[in-house]
Structure formats: C-alpha cells, structure tokens
Amino acid sequence: KTALAKRYGNWFDEVRSWAGVMVKDGAIMAELARQEIGNVNALINIDVNGIGSSGYDHLKTMYKRVSPFNGAEGSEYRDKSRKLKMRNKRAEMYWRMRDALDPVDGDDLALPNDTELLADLCSARYEVSSAGVKVENKEQIKARIGRSPDTGEAVMMCHYDSTHASLPDKQPTQ
C-alpha cells in the first residue's frame, strides 16, 4: 500500500493509505498526494525506492520542497547520546523517531491513536555493532509481522530530519 502522513508542528494527523492495486504508478501516487496535501508550500519527504521514484518525479513538478529519501544512503547521524552511529538513512529514520518518542527527553510528539501505527513503530529489530546501528530490512519485518510496516514508516518519514528543518505550525509535511 501507499501511506501518507501529515504533520503540523509536533502533531501528526491520521495516516491516509491506499491499496497497492489502486496506486499503479507514480503519476497516480502524486495525484493522490496532491489531493491529500493541497498546500504548495508543504515540505514533502518521499521514499524513492520502487514506485516512489516515479512519484518523486511527478511531485517535484508540483511542489517546491520535495525531498527524496533513499534508506540505503549512508548517514552521519548519531543518537542523542552521541555514542551510536547509524549505518544508513533507514536506521537514522528509525532512530530519530525512537529518540523523539523518549518519554523523558523526547520531542513531545502527538501521534494518532492507531494500533497499526503503534505495532509498526515497535516492529523493527536493531543490531548494534562497531559499524553502527542497523535496522532489520523491511522483508524481515514483513515476514515476522505478516504485513509491511507502511503506516509507521510514513510517520517516521514525515518526522525525518525535523531537527534540521524549520517547519512553522500548520504546515503539513508528508
């Protein structure tokens, strides 16, 4: 499925999703996103693996602030303790959300009351080594939980790099 999350400051809206059979190509994905987002000033993060690559090509013609996300890219990010480095952007995305949800030093995020989202955010297993934190691949997660963690990954991607982006309130991010 294709999942879209919107954020306004630290508040996340309900995740919207469409069945994979409905989203046959990047043009359809981009149009569904446009209908959902609307705001031309929105900051949009999009996974460019698979169909998202074509979706990115279409969205960047409609919006000024579209950022491609490739989870396999290297990362310079370190966790809040500055002790753990991340092997790639995917691990960084997961760890940023983990840090943001810390009940003591987190970012006071308001997430939708959604059991699938909660399960997705808790589904990944990590491996820590001298090379850095590695999150298990999506295929392993799918095999273990019986579905793709798309809802959680949409929220994590929506939150991704929020510590570096300046996002005014009431400005949706996807």
Side-chain angles (χ1 to χ4, degrees):
K1 70 180 173 184
T2 295
L4 182 142
K6 294 188 292 185
R7 176 170 58 97
Y8 303 87
N10 72 336
W11 181 83
F12 289 77
D13 202 347
E14 298 280 330
V15 177
R16 180 85 162 97
S17 63
W18 299 268
V21 296
M22 185 176 173
V23 186
K24 296 178 184 189
D25 59 33
I28 293 171
M29 175 192 287
E31 177 55 21
L32 291 169
R34 187 198 62 77
Q35 289 175 15
E36 191 67 28
I37 298 168
N39 183 349
V40 295
N41 293 317
L43 170 62
I44 301 169
N45 294 323
I46 184 168
D47 187 343
V48 293
N49 294 316
I51 193 173
S53 174
S54 176
Y56 168 74
D57 289 338
H58 286 82
L59 284 169
K60 71 182 182 181
T61 66
M62 294 185 255
Y63 293 91
K64 296 175 186 172
R65 301 186 323 151
V66 180
S67 297
F69 179 86
N70 180 350
E73 282 182 24
S75 173
E76 299 296 318
Y77 182 75
R78 290 190 175 264
D79 73 325
K80 284 187 175 184
S81 75
R82 308 292 299 153
K83 294 176 184 172
L84 297 173
K85 61 183 177 178
M86 305 297 132
R87 284 196 193 175
N88 55 31
K89 294 285 185 186
R90 186 163 187 275
E92 177 182 344
M93 175 182 74
Y94 270 84
W95 214 271
R96 281 183 183 274
M97 182 58 77
R98 180 183 167 117
D99 281 346
L101 293 173
D102 182 306
V104 176
D105 296 318
D107 296 341
D108 195 29
L109 300 181
L111 299 176
N113 184 14
D114 180 331
T115 55
E116 183 175 328
L117 172 60
L118 177 61
D120 287 358
L121 293 175
C122 297
S123 66
R125 294 181 178 163
Y126 307 91
E127 175 185 306
V128 180
S129 71
S130 60
V133 173
K134 178 185 176 191
V135 175
E136 74 179 318
N137 69 47
K138 199 171 193 174
E139 295 308 314
Q140 291 171 306
I141 295 172
K142 285 181 186 179
R144 199 165 27 76
I145 69 172
R147 61 179 176 73
S148 182
D150 296 322
T151 299
E153 288 193 355
V155 168
M156 286 185 278
M157 195 165 301
C158 185
H159 178 262
Y160 180 77
D161 210 12
S162 65
T163 57
H164 295 101
S166 175
L167 299 173
D169 287 344
K170 303 298 180 197
Q171 177 117 353
T173 307
Q174 183 273 344

